Amino acid sequence: MNPSDLELVSAAQQGSDQAFAQLYKRHAAGVSGGLWRTLGREQDVEDVMQVTFLEVHRCLGRYDSRWAFSTWVNHIAFRMAGRHLRAKKRRWWWSSDHTALSQAADEKAGADMQAQGGALVRGVFTAMQQLPDKQRIAFTLHDLEEMGLTEIGKIVDASPQTVRARVHAARRKVAEYLRAAGLAEENPS
Amino acid sequence: MSGIKDTDRLSPIDDPLLLDGVRAMQKNVGALGRPSLAKILEQVEKGRRPARRLWWTTAALTAVAAAAIAVIMVRDSAWQQPDIAVPPPAMVLSPTHALRVVHYIGAGTAGSGPIVQTAFNDSLTVPAGTHAHVRSGERLRMSLAGPSHLRTDADGRWRLADGSAALDVAQDGASQVSLRAGGFEIIVAGARFTMAVSKGELRSLRVESGMVSVRAADGSLSEVVPGSPMGDRDSPAFTTNDWPDQAYWEAEELTGALRVTSEPPGASVTVDGQTLGETPLFVRWPAGSVSLSVTHAGYQTHQRRLHLPVAGEVVEVAKLSPHNRAKTKGQSQDGSVDRLWRRARRLLLRRQCERLDGVIAKLRSKVKTPNARADVDFMSAECLLRSGRRQKALAAFQQLQNRYPGSPSARNASFEVGILKAQSGDSAAALKAFSGYVAMNPGGGLVAEAIYRQCEIYIHTRDLTAARTCLANYQSKHPSGLRRRDSLLLSALLEKRAGANRKALSYFGRYFSESPARGPRYEKALFQWAQLSCVVDGGKENVVAARYQREYPQGKFSQTLANKCGQ
């Protein structure tokens, strides 16, 4: 019989690495999917995943059982993703050759994406890159991960109404970008 | 929020292209970027986090760089306060009715009580630090130059984000204040809330008590309650693409129209203790019970308590009786005079001027005072005008002016002379007549119309400088005048012609924020606005051009606009 998340958390709180390993196996795939679509780079996802589960391990004692464990982990993951993106922007700003670095990062991300899903995926990803972080995360969780507004609200510390507004804005901007990029002609639906 | 109550998700994506993209992204799942568990546990063992170390490194570098820059700036004295006098932001309140400022804290004066009270149709520039009080039922219009933040604080005061000005808006549980702007509407019922508005977008809305409903442009209604804020800095709760440069707020019009005429005309009208002008008079006034008083020298005061419905109109005809009625003999004479006045009025309304002449001849023999005789002549001239005999009417009005100068009827006659002269193409005489009317009737009910007519004459005579000045004068003195929309459009066109594109854009924005009626003129004005906006703000993704294309997809200017804006 599979132990519940709560039982595993209790065991992990008492120092069981096995229980923590099980939690990791159970939730890593879900978290990495969302992060992958938000960040787009394998290296970034790996960095954030690592920091996220370190944080999860460190904060297990503060876990509130009123939250679903997956929601709590996602909450930490996307906080870390936001921090990662901000740090990345800082690094970009401090670097001497902004353009070259930025282009290299975009090309790398675009290549990863194109290898996985073609021009449309790359278009959506590029459009998402241009969104403010909060809108990008809301769009990813709602439209790509198909989470509910309330759960996303818990993850990103915002009300469902705010999430709704962010998703709306993101949808509009992504659709505008796809049209401007001429993908409407390439993908007549 | 109605949408949220029904479902925890937004409506499905209806854009096929976006839907395809999202589906393709959803298929794009992989076991990518998943670090090995061993690696995480190894980090746990080490008890350190590389990202945190990186953060500290970056923070330290940032601090060192900032310190270095500060040292260089201080050494070179490059960091000085700019020596520019920044004018305090002023808020222009243009109420339909009296706006009472109950607290005035500014220019070294502090206190309470009604310090400033605007006259009807007047506008009030409130200096920074002024607190204004608007009663329930009064209409408040705020024009905030540039992208502004406006919010209510915990005391329920409206406040600019920088704290420079505030307004107290009295709200009680029963009253509803509805604020409209562009694409969304906020409905408040005794709620305290904070909102940030920037660049035509409702950025955020946080409710402290009560409930605020927001109706979006698509008609969907959202309810915001305490502890559940809407929107934030990055994600506007609502976008109103069609906002002009000036953020523009207008409370729901809780007013009714009151039209007062009297026999004889020229009587002073007082509503709720405020003298508004002379009959004939047309005013907008807070709906509800109003106390009306019509007074005329030598006549008994006419007093009524009226109910003014919201957006309705009440017409009150005050038939004034003379004070000094003779007790016996005179009484019957005055009674017959009253009857003659009533009969004359009926004939005038029916335009039966020949029969009216007979009644007027009798009246002339009975009335003694110059003002009353002037009223009789005015009625005769008015009948000629109404029956289309303009030349005769003009001669009659001019004769009246010469015979009874200074009488109320002579003053009103100068307005009619202005209209007739303008129609006959004698612009100089029309301007003179309108100026004379405005000078003689500073509080008259037709002053705003007279000024507007003057502006039109300036435009016809191609004196565009005078026309611009005249329109600006009209808009500042009569911001709620019946011709305000027309005046804004004329100003926009004049400024455009003069090359003042920014000003023209601002006027266009104000014109369209007045919700003008749809029609050929509306379409043409929207096209001109969009065309100018493309020139000034660039054609790509131009919101005004997009608005035209949205409202008139098959419009006659659609192709021209698409070519001009490069869309």
Side-chain angles (χ1 to χ4, degrees), chain B residues 259-325:
Chain B
R259 195 180 292 276
V260 187
T261 56
S262 70
E263 289 175 16
S268 171
V269 179
T270 307
V271 178
D272 288 344
Q274 283 192 48
T275 305
L276 303 180
E278 290 181 354
T279 55
L281 183 77
F282 176 80
V283 292
R284 289 193 178 281
W285 198 252
S289 179
V290 295
S291 165
L292 171 75
S293 171
V294 183
T295 53
H296 195 297
Y299 291 84
Q300 289 181 352
T301 303
H302 173 93
Q303 284 184 318
R304 288 284 183 279
R305 187 119 199 121
L306 305 168
H307 178 75
L308 207 55
V310 174
E313 182 176 328
V314 170
V315 180
E316 178 69 11
V317 180
K319 290 171 183 169
L320 304 175
S321 309
H323 262 313
N324 302 321
R325 287 189 168 189

Side-chain angles (χ1 to χ4, degrees), chain B residues 526-560:
Chain B
L526 187 56
F527 163 69
Q528 285 172 318
W529 186 22
Q531 195 183 18
L532 189 63
S533 180
C534 284
V535 172
V536 177
D537 300 329
K540 200 180 173 192
E541 295 179 5
N542 189 291
V543 291
V544 189
R547 176 174 169 179
Y548 179 87
Q549 304 289 16
R550 194 172 63 243
E551 292 187 16
Y552 296 98
Q554 304 296 325
K556 56 182 174 182
F557 304 112
S558 193
Q559 192 54 48
T560 317

Side-chain angles (χ1 to χ4, degrees), chain B residues 43-165:
Chain B
Q43 293 290 337
V44 171
E45 283 300 311
K46 286 184 183 172
R48 61 191 174 84
R49 286 168 293 157
R52 179 58 63 90
R53 194 178 54 187
L54 180 66
W55 188 88
W56 279 113
T57 313
T58 314
L61 278 171
T62 312
V64 169
I69 291 167
V71 166
I72 291 166
M73 283 182 153
V74 169
R75 191 192 61 194
D76 297 345
S77 301
W79 186 252
Q80 290 175 347
Q81 287 292 326
D83 191 20
I84 301 167
V86 181
M91 190 187 294
V92 181
L93 303 176
S94 310
T96 308
H97 310 294
L99 177 71
R100 211 154 52 88
V101 177
V102 288
H103 300 292
Y104 182 71
I105 307 165
T109 313
S112 62
I115 306 295
V116 181
Q117 191 157 354
T118 61
F120 172 69
N121 266 351
D122 204 350
S123 68
L124 173 67
T125 301
V126 181
T130 300
H131 293 196
H133 179 83
V134 183
R135 289 171 302 185
S136 178
E138 287 179 344
R139 180 175 161 204
L140 168 69
R141 187 193 299 163
M142 286 170 282
S143 175
L144 307 172
S148 303
H149 293 259
L150 188 70
R151 60 185 60 172
T152 56
D153 60 18
D155 300 319
R157 277 191 305 239
W158 292 77
R159 185 176 288 284
L160 285 178
D162 60 0
S164 56

